[in-house]
Amino acid sequence: MRHQGHTSRTDQPGAANAREGGAGLARIALLALLASILVPLVAAGLRSVLWVMTGLAGLALAAIGLWWALAHTGVLRVVGASLSVAAPVTVLALFAASGMLGPALVSLALWALAVMAARTASSPGRTAAEEAVVTAPRAPWILMNPRSGGGKVGRFRLAERARAAGCRVVLLDAGQDVAQLARQAVAEGADLLAVAGGDGTQALVAEVAARNDLPFVVIPAGTRNHFALDLGLDRDDPAAALQALTDGVELRIDLGYAADRVFVNNASFGTYASVVTDPAYRDAKARTTLHALPGLLTGEDARGLRARADGTFFEGLQALLVSNNPYGRAVDVVRPGRRERLDSGRLGLVCVRVGNTAQAARIVRGPRSGSIVRLSAGEVVVEADTDALPVGIDGEHVVLPSPVVCRSAPGVLRVRVPRRRPHALRGGGAPADWSRVARLALGRLFTGRS
């Protein structure tokens, strides 16, 4: 295998600075957390407990209303939609009338600051080794989907810019076999593969690159491009990704598999996977989803999914998401839906089990509710009482025989990215480890002065 570069190291002086910075953030996190508790206590005394309970009750009623709106039709859907709006508005009105709205908002802001600081402080930081590229590719090959992302290839003149950089450009026609085109390019001597398109196309070519140990370049020319975002690329400037050819670094990252199908982001089972099977979904996503959800959640079409993740069993699931490395929190005040790492060798798992009104109300309890379960695993097996399962793989619909075994292929993909990336994760995407935060913040009390 041809040597591509050397490992970039910036450890020793930066390590001490990083530790000191982490300790400072940890102290900010603890102080903000304490202040978020003290503000309502000072404003309302012990009555603040009652206001907290009122807020939680409002959230529970909103969750019930949202469940009715999604899982039912007719009058109950209208009532649910109204309740999901009226409950939080009423709580806000009560807070405002009692003079507690200001303290509540300040407390929430302080809590958000505490979480952000804690996640950044307790994060292990970026751990993927970056290898500096010192040899430019001789025969780079780029597949471009001119229809992807509403025509980003043409709008950003990606084909012209890639050809000017010495790349062989192939424009994808409808119905062509993406993987076969990539295999043919390798057979013809391509020493770098790239894709300008959506995540589904990226995954198919990435697998060919991984099998041949070739570098792979992501050009975010799709609609959402979650993979590109987690690599730190600018989705609003897809042409900037071409800088990886001349001023790039290389990362070794994982690929995920659902049976024999590769994914760079995730494989979804259950409700969402069933919705995307409807031909009308592409043109009318919201209307198609609202029409299909009642049957999928509570009707005869409701699927009772079962899953096994490293010996832990789950059943009665409405939806299940298996991701290539775990995502951050579903509602993340720092970076919604991003992955802290792409090289952990682990799958992320999110299970949704909301089959009735009571379970919908318990969602406000968070992870303890049992309605939403999050964990990581080396292998996930998904099955149902059917011979086949619809699966949404990086947004594309496929049908796989049940059970479906999902696994991680650690470190198989060499991704080449620009050296300077505006959205590279610097830590903070993972849930806060409060015990680590406390040790960082109070460390000098136990270790003495350094």
Side-chain angles (χ1 to χ4, degrees), residues 73-133:
T73 58
V75 174
L76 199 54
R77 169 169 281 183
V78 174
V79 171
S82 301
L83 181 60
S84 66
V85 175
V89 168
T90 301
V91 170
L92 288 175
L94 289 173
F95 272 65
S98 64
M100 281 297 297
L101 182 58
L105 293 176
V106 171
S107 179
L108 285 174
L110 288 167
W111 175 82
L113 173 62
V115 171
M116 285 191 290
R119 289 182 184 179
T120 304
S122 62
S123 169
R126 229 172 46 196
T127 57
E130 291 189 357
E131 186 172 302
V133 175

Side-chain angles (χ1 to χ4, degrees), residues 77-384:
R77 169 169 281 183
V78 174
V79 171
S82 301
L83 181 60
S84 66
V85 175
V89 168
T90 301
V91 170
L92 288 175
L94 289 173
F95 272 65
S98 64
M100 281 297 297
L101 182 58
L105 293 176
V106 171
S107 179
L108 285 174
L110 288 167
W111 175 82
L113 173 62
V115 171
M116 285 191 290
R119 289 182 184 179
T120 304
S122 62
S123 169
R126 229 172 46 196
T127 57
E130 291 189 357
E131 186 172 302
V133 175
V134 296
T135 305
R138 299 186 313 273
W141 176 89
I142 300 182
L143 179 66
M144 296 190 174
N145 185 350
R147 297 170 299 280
S148 187
K152 282 186 177 180
V153 168
R155 193 160 67 250
F156 289 91
R157 301 179 57 250
L158 295 178
E160 293 87 339
R161 295 184 181 190
R163 291 189 182 105
C167 301
R168 179 189 169 197
V169 176
V170 174
L171 298 179
L172 181 65
D173 291 329
Q176 285 186 295
D177 187 329
V178 170
Q180 179 56 36
L181 289 173
R183 288 191 292 266
Q184 181 179 342
V186 174
E188 294 173 352
D191 61 349
L192 178 145
L193 303 181
V195 173
D199 289 327
T201 309
Q202 300 279 1
L204 295 172
V205 178
E207 182 183 30
V208 177
R211 287 185 182 278
N212 292 275
D213 196 33
L214 292 178
F216 178 68
V217 170
V218 175
I219 302 172
T223 302
R224 287 175 287 274
N225 289 116
H226 294 301
F227 185 42
L229 177 64
D230 289 339
L231 288 171
L233 302 178
D234 187 350
R235 296 181 295 179
D236 296 324
D237 185 12
L242 292 170
Q243 295 174 8
L245 300 174
T246 55
D247 184 25
V249 294
E250 209 168 87
L251 310 174
R252 279 277 183 180
I253 67 170
D254 313 332
L255 289 177
Y257 281 86
D260 61 345
R261 292 296 300 260
V262 67
F263 58 90
V264 292
N265 291 326
N266 56 63
S268 59
F269 299 81
T271 305
Y272 174 72
S274 297
V275 168
V276 298
T277 64
D278 193 324
Y281 176 76
R282 293 296 176 188
D283 298 322
K285 292 181 173 61
R287 184 169 65 250
T288 304
T289 301
L290 286 174
H291 176 75
L293 277 178
L296 294 172
L297 293 175
T298 58
E300 294 180 357
D301 296 330
R303 293 181 180 273
L305 287 174
R306 300 184 296 276
R308 182 176 73 252
D310 290 350
T312 302
F313 294 86
F314 306 93
E315 59 183 0
L317 305 174
Q318 277 74 39
L320 185 149
L321 183 81
V322 180
S323 59
N324 175 28
N325 288 268
Y327 283 101
R329 297 288 182 187
V331 178
D332 190 325
V333 294
V334 187
R335 300 176 185 92
R338 293 194 63 179
R339 288 166 284 185
E340 172 76 5
R341 297 177 58 175
L342 291 172
D343 66 338
S344 70
R346 304 283 289 175
L347 298 171
L349 182 64
V350 180
C351 304
V352 179
R353 182 166 43 202
V354 183
N356 54 52
T357 302
Q359 289 177 346
R362 286 201 299 269
I363 285 180
V364 298
R365 296 174 55 194
R368 295 173 299 171
S369 69
S371 296
I372 299 178
V373 179
R374 300 168 53 87
L375 69 157
S376 65
E379 181 181 274
V380 178
V381 181
V382 186
E383 59 184 333

Side-chain angles (χ1 to χ4, degrees), residues 414-437:
R414 296 166 53 193
V415 176
R416 188 170 292 188
V417 294
R419 187 183 305 274
R420 295 176 179 83
R421 308 189 298 286
H423 304 300
L425 280 172
R426 304 293 177 181
D433 182 346
W434 285 102
S435 61
R436 175 174 167 80
V437 169

